[in-house]
Amino acid sequence: MNITVVLPSLNPDEKLNLVINGLLKEGFTDIILVNDGSDAAHMQPFEQAATHPEVTLLTHECNKGKGRALKTAFSYVLENRKDTAGVVTVDGDNQHTSHDIKACALRLLSEKDKVILGCRDFHGPDVPFKSKFGNLCTGTVFRLFCGMKISDTQTGLRGIPFTHLPLMCQTKGERFEYETEMLLTCKRNNIGFSEVQIETVYIEDNATSHFHPIRDSLKIYRMILKFAFSSIASFLIDYGLFTLILFLLGNDTDRNIRLLIATFGARAVSSFFNFCVNKKMVFCSQASTLKSLVRYYLLCVVQATASYGLLYLLSSLLSAGSGLEAILKLVVDILLFFVSFRIQQGWVFT
């Protein structure tokens, strides 16, 4: 197989060479092993692995993180393996079976433009809680905010075509958050995914993992939730102004006029803030500002009309005063938030 295996490792034990031996038995002839700043007590597994002519050992003098280790290997492949079809990334703790690694490599050869994901089944009784919960949370966020339905967002077993490696080298992230950013990079650049069902293996309750649940999860979710920050901030501005205008107008003002002024007045201010932040911070869009602005305000008009219409309907049915109207506004705009975000992501700021 014209495939390069990339294997980042930090302070490995004897399982590292079990992985390498399994790869050799499956016929892999090009393995790039990255020592990500391991200490002196863990050099022996690297020394043993380097005795195989199929293994190229790259070394970081200090620990730089899994993301940087992967990018170091990708850069090496781009410079020295120009004839390879792509890379398959593998974890060194023997939780990816050699059979599954080969299955992902074969899928990569058959679907040359897609990123291959080796996906585990998290419904089994032997799956550690932190892995099950982490994948559930990240998968839910991906589905709601990014429109990406991925069975295993945290898998380290991935196949990446050679043509996509330059893009992966430019992707942000140095540690575990890098693998999340890889998925988002694929989304932004319309790169498809292909999933391969793999065996779910957890050795010693995943005790050898260097993933720190709090620190690394914060980095992962920070990368994803920046997509939602602008819309939430804009919503708070909109909701605050809406409530203030309702209070200033009071119940003596006709309901229709009161809701109309409050809805469109608040939206005029919050929408301009939202547009500026979304274009520069969230989607980093290179599209024409005028084109994006026209599309954005078309969406704004539709969304504000929907917000007003739904709010007027609900408040009329419930004979709501200004207090209940403010609560109904919250419910309506939360629902419209998800719809608006997806349209902005896929159409306004492409």
Side-chain angles (χ1 to χ4, degrees):
M1 289 183 293
N2 189 26
I3 294 290
T4 299
V5 175
V6 170
L7 204 166
S9 184
L10 171 64
N11 295 332
D13 55 21
E14 70 282 352
K15 291 191 285 293
L16 175 64
N17 280 283
L18 293 177
V19 174
I20 291 175
N21 291 336
L23 291 170
L24 296 175
K25 288 180 180 178
E26 288 290 350
F28 289 98
T29 58
D30 187 22
I31 302 169
I32 297 179
L33 175 62
V34 183
N35 172 9
D36 185 29
S38 300
D39 57 42
H42 294 86
M43 288 296 106
Q44 195 277 332
F46 292 110
E47 294 169 357
Q48 182 180 343
T51 62
H52 298 286
E54 297 88 349
V55 176
T56 299
L57 178 62
L58 307 178
T59 301
H60 289 167
E61 293 184 2
C62 61
N63 175 244
K64 297 183 178 181
K66 186 178 183 182
R68 175 49 55 185
L70 289 170
K71 285 189 273 191
T72 294
F74 295 164
S75 297
Y76 183 87
V77 170
L78 287 170
E79 288 293 326
N80 301 278
R81 301 289 191 272
K82 297 183 185 297
D83 60 341
T84 188
V87 303
V88 173
T89 63
V90 178
D91 292 339
D93 52 10
N94 207 28
Q95 293 189 23
H96 298 147
T97 69
S98 56
H99 174 76
D100 287 334
I101 297 169
K102 184 174 182 178
C104 287
L106 292 173
R107 181 69 66 85
L108 179 60
L109 291 173
S110 65
E111 300 190 39
K112 299 178 181 179
D113 294 328
K114 293 183 178 181
V115 168
I116 311 303
L117 302 177
C119 297
R120 299 160 289 181
D121 181 1
F122 287 89
H123 296 93
D126 298 329
V127 179
F129 174 77
K130 71 175 183 178
S131 297
K132 184 180 296 187
F133 181 74
N135 189 72
L136 175 64
C137 289
T138 309
T140 301
V141 172
F142 263 88
R143 205 170 295 119
L144 291 177
F145 293 116
C146 307
M148 302 166 67
K149 187 176 181 181
I150 298 176
S151 301
D152 187 353
T153 57
Q154 299 172 319
T155 180
L157 179 54
R158 302 179 179 191
I160 305 168
F162 182 86
T163 54
H164 297 331
L165 290 181
L167 191 60
M168 298 306 167
C169 288
Q170 298 168 12
T171 297
K172 296 179 181 179
E174 299 296 305
R175 298 188 179 275
F176 284 100
E177 78 276 8
Y178 173 71
E179 292 182 306
T180 301
E181 276 292 322
M182 286 174 63
L183 301 178
L184 297 176
T185 293
C186 291
K187 172 68 175 180
R188 294 187 193 105
N189 291 275
N190 297 315
I191 298 172
F193 297 99
S194 181
E195 295 189 356
V196 176
Q197 190 69 42
I198 64 173
E199 185 178 351
T200 305
V201 179
Y202 286 101
I203 301 172
E204 299 170 358
D205 197 31
N206 211 19
T208 59
S209 173
H210 296 285
F211 182 85
H212 298 276
I214 297 178
R215 184 192 70 189
D216 292 315
S217 292
L218 285 175
K219 290 181 180 180
I220 289 172
Y221 293 125
R222 181 181 63 196
M223 294 294 179
I224 299 173
L225 293 178
K226 72 177 182 178
F227 275 166
F229 165 77
S230 175
S231 294
I232 294 174
S234 301
F235 163 75
L236 292 176
I237 293 172
D238 184 77
Y239 185 66
L241 287 174
F242 175 84
T243 304
L244 177 62
I245 293 171
L246 282 182
F247 176 77
L248 293 175
L249 293 176
N251 290 330
D252 293 335
T253 306
D254 180 76
R255 175 184 288 116
N256 193 26
I257 296 176
R258 184 172 70 238
L259 292 177
L260 190 66
I261 294 174
T263 297
F264 286 94
R267 190 57 50 88
V269 177
S270 65
S271 63
F272 186 71
F273 168 85
N274 186 252
F275 173 81
C276 294
V277 176
N278 279 2
K279 191 173 193 311
K280 294 183 178 181
M281 252 182 72
V282 180
F283 301 105
C284 302
S285 175
Q286 301 299 316
S288 163
T289 299
L290 179 60
K291 181 179 179 180
S292 296
L293 192 65
V294 170
R295 289 184 174 187
Y296 178 84
Y297 275 102
L298 282 174
L299 174 62
C300 267
V301 170
V302 173
Q303 186 177 354
T305 303
S307 176
Y308 165 73
L310 289 171
L311 184 58
Y312 184 77
L313 175 63
L314 292 173
S315 63
S316 297
L317 291 174
L318 299 175
S319 300
S322 58
L324 182 55
E325 285 170 350
I327 296 174
L328 291 173
K329 166 76 171 175
L330 181 64
V331 175
V332 168
D333 278 2
I334 286 175
L335 294 175
L336 292 176
F337 162 75
F338 293 105
V339 177
S340 172
F341 181 84
R342 293 295 307 282
I343 295 173
Q344 288 184 51
Q345 183 187 47
W347 182 59
V348 176
F349 296 106
T350 52

